[in-house]
């Protein structure tokens, strides 16, 4: 008889990802060295290299963590809203809340892409996968809500989110989040069936 046990995540690994997330997002990936991450996570250099093999894999773990958090927010929204049009509204509200509360220094994926210009590199491939998932999820939500041309709705919402996250950082969330909500709702309304 074989049993499978789920491997618990290492507390040191979790501290490294949490620390990297905080520092990379606040200060930029290339400006934060591994020595600082190690010191603030209170682990040894050997632990970082055992868990990740190097900084690029830690960057990938940071971005993967951001991706998982966003996917979890969509799952939670989907579980709490039964009306398809209500889910589309919840998505707009969730993005506005993200601008106000969580991603106050722009989009972590756009920020990382600016630091990793090689479109074929592992970091950019992960960013591309995330963006395709996000766009596809928005298209699915718009389609379920009965939107006409749901791919256009999704493309517009992705564009608006990108602009709002950057604009929120530069101009302040109090100016940008309401403008995002108004514009996103206008896009959704323009694609409702007559």
């Amino acid at each position: 008889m074989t049993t499978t046990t789920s491997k618990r995540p290492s507390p040191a690994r979790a501290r490294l990802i949490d620390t990297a997330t905080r520092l990379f997002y606040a200060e930029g990936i290339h400006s934060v060295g591994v020595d600082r991450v190690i010191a603030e996570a209170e682990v040894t250099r050997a632990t970082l290299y055992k868990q990740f093999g190097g900084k690029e894999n830690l960057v990938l773990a940071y971005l993967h963590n951001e991706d998982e958090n966003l996917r979890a927010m969509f799952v939670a929204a989907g579980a709490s809203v039964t009306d398809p049009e209500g889910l589309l509204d919840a998505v707009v509200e969730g993005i506005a809340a993200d601008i106000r509360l969580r991603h106050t220094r722009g989009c972590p994926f756009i920020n990382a892409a600016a630091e990793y210009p090689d479109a074929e590199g592992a970091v950019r491939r992960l960013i591309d996968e995330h963006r395709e998932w996000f766009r596809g999820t928005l298209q699915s939500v718009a389609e379920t809500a009965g939107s006409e041309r749901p791919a256009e709705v999704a493309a517009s919402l992705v564009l608006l989110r990108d602009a709002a996250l950057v604009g929120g950082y530069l101009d302040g969330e109090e100016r940008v989040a309401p403008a995002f909500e108004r514009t996103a709702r206008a896009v959704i309304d323009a694609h409702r069936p007559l």
Side-chain angles (χ1 to χ4, degrees):
M1 178 168 144
T2 60
T3 60
T4 55
T5 58
S6 61
K7 188 176 177 182
R8 288 190 348 195
S10 156
R13 180 181 180 84
R15 283 196 315 276
L16 281 163
I17 292 172
D18 290 347
T19 301
T21 296
R22 179 175 48 81
L23 293 174
F24 291 164
Y25 184 70
E27 299 178 25
I29 296 167
H30 290 320
S31 67
V32 175
V34 292
D35 289 336
R36 180 145 174 235
V37 174
I38 289 166
E40 292 197 25
E42 298 178 339
V43 299
T44 64
R45 180 176 293 279
T47 299
L48 180 131
Y49 285 98
K50 178 182 176 192
Q51 293 293 326
F52 298 103
K55 185 176 180 179
E56 183 166 309
N57 286 335
L58 181 59
V59 170
L60 291 169
Y62 150 61
L63 292 172
H64 184 71
N65 188 53
E66 289 284 352
D67 176 70
E68 285 180 341
N69 288 337
L70 188 58
R71 289 175 191 244
M73 286 191 287
F74 268 83
V75 169
S80 67
V81 178
T82 56
D83 171 44
E85 286 191 31
L87 183 55
L88 203 49
D89 289 336
V91 167
V92 171
E93 291 167 11
I95 293 170
D98 192 36
I99 296 162
R100 289 185 177 104
L101 305 172
R102 188 161 176 263
H103 288 123
T104 57
R105 292 184 54 83
C107 173
F109 298 97
I110 293 172
N111 295 350
E115 294 194 60
Y116 286 85
D118 179 8
E120 302 303 317
V123 170
R124 288 293 294 278
R125 285 195 314 269
L126 190 149
I127 292 167
D128 290 345
E129 288 170 17
H130 166 77
R131 290 180 66 81
E132 284 304 312
W133 165 82
F134 186 63
R135 185 177 294 104
T137 300
L138 291 174
Q139 182 174 337
S140 177
V141 169
E143 188 172 338
T144 302
S147 297
E148 295 178 350
R149 299 185 307 277
E152 290 179 21
V153 173
S156 295
L157 292 177
V158 169
L159 178 67
L160 290 171
R161 178 184 179 266
D162 288 348
L165 285 169
V166 173
Y169 174 51
L170 297 175
D171 297 330
E173 59 83 14
E174 63 283 343
R175 178 183 287 172
V176 173
F180 164 78
E181 288 183 275
R182 278 191 313 275
T183 309
R185 290 189 197 292
V187 166
I188 291 166
D189 289 343
H191 289 84
R192 290 191 198 278
L194 298 174

